[in-house]
Amino acid sequence: MTSPSDTRHHVVILGGGFGGLYAALRLKRAPVRVTLVDRHNHHLFQPLLYQVATATLSPSDIASPLRGLLGRHHISVLLAEATRVDIQAKRVILADGELAYDSLIVATGATHSYFGNDAWAKHAPGLKSIEDAVEIRRQVLLAFEMAEREPDPELRRQLLTFVIVGGGPTGVELAGALAEISRHALVRDFQNIDPSQARIILVEGTHHLLPTYPQALAERARQSLERLGVEVRAGVRVTQIDETGVFVGDEHIPARTKLWAAGVAASPLARSLGVALDRAGRVSVSPELTLPGRQDVFVIGDLAFIKKGEHPIPGVAPAAMQQGKHAANNILRQLQGQPMQPFRFNDRGTFSVIGRGSAVGLALARFPMSGYIAWLAWLFIHVLFLIGFRSKAAVLLNWAYSYVAFRRSARIITGAVPLLPRPPSRPGGSAGGPRVEGEQAPRAEAASPPGAS
């Protein structure tokens, strides 16, 4: 793929997310050859993915082609899937080939974790990719369309019930956005139903939302969601998810739309690195971000387990960006014969938006903020980190339209129109419709998740 005469140090980067992209950009003027491998052709601004899922933004607003970002810097981009890494031979094994490296940066991120209940995935999709977001948008908008046509009041209630499992930032943001869609964006668009009567239920396994936030901020987030009409159920466990709804303990909540925001697991590529992994599948890296015992392999982003004091560094975009640049700097220091430096995370804070003009967050990791000021801070930070002028302009225009008009501009349903839903048969019994709330549920065969967070 390159000239045999190109003998420059070859840096291979796996993953075009925040960590991989910022590592590549840091090396763009360095005397090295850089190849970035990703199974998608675009960089995705994942913090705003829920806004694609809830019809505020279009996929192109938060995704940029990797070749457009890196090609002009003479960085090779390969559309391929890495299946494993041969550490001893210093080769990346692809689904359809292999690639040699001198230094390797592994930044393949994370995927959904259903805590051993993988069968739930077909009933409750997670949110990690553009495909996930478009499918969730389709399910949400179809629920209102089907309810408009449904003559059975019980089935209509099921169609207009949305359950989000997991009360972390993604779950809170999804719940707030769904409540705003039903209360504002769709309220005048239907003739046979009242979208504002849609039931939004957020289930969290721990005793308060946003478990990594101070309890006072978590309580403000809960109050803001409840003002929007969201039912918050904290301190309860999901024991089963099926076509008819969600089982919370022994109670069944009939719902046709279930969304998963409860857990993540590191990319399975980590298992090929030959080192011990934590419970989430992450690699405990050295302070320099290298694989234990290797100085030519760096692991960053959601795939890396790094402690800051007593707590691990969170898997957020700013951490991945800083790690990407730091790994690239350490490669350059190695080439210059200098010792590598340990990584230090500069925590500028985290924010979670709840709805129109409402957010909670920690500025500079120590100053609690909530309400309109926190929402403005959230807006500014996200626009600042978006890649490219076009994305910044498109997001700002869509946000301004949504804020002023109380509307959503990306309400597009793709795919075939489904038939009206009918009650499924009970397992082992005759068709009689789904169980109702309060009815005793059968014991789940799979293990219950340790908690939704």
Side-chain angles (χ1 to χ4, degrees), residues 323-398:
Q323 290 168 25
K325 289 188 282 189
H326 190 83
N329 286 335
N330 272 344
I331 289 174
L332 296 180
R333 292 182 68 85
Q334 286 179 327
L335 295 177
Q336 295 164 3
Q338 300 176 0
M340 293 188 292
Q341 294 182 335
F343 174 71
R344 292 182 176 84
F345 176 45
N346 180 13
D347 192 348
R348 301 185 180 95
T350 55
F351 289 85
S352 293
V353 68
I354 298 158
R356 176 188 175 89
S358 178
V360 295
L362 285 171
L364 301 176
R366 63 175 65 92
F367 302 111
M369 300 174 65
S370 61
Y372 194 76
I373 296 298
W375 181 76
L376 288 176
W378 171 88
L379 186 150
F380 172 78
I381 291 168
H382 282 70
V383 171
L384 182 67
F385 283 134
L386 275 167
I387 305 295
F389 175 78
R390 183 201 169 280
S391 291
K392 296 177 191 290
V395 168
L396 277 174
L397 285 173
N398 276 294

Side-chain angles (χ1 to χ4, degrees), residues 212 282 301-302 306 308 311-320 323 345 347 350:
T212 60
R282 297 175 297 182
D302 290 341
I306 315 165
K308 182 182 180 183
H311 303 285
I313 292 175
V316 294
Q323 290 168 25
F345 176 45
D347 192 348
T350 55

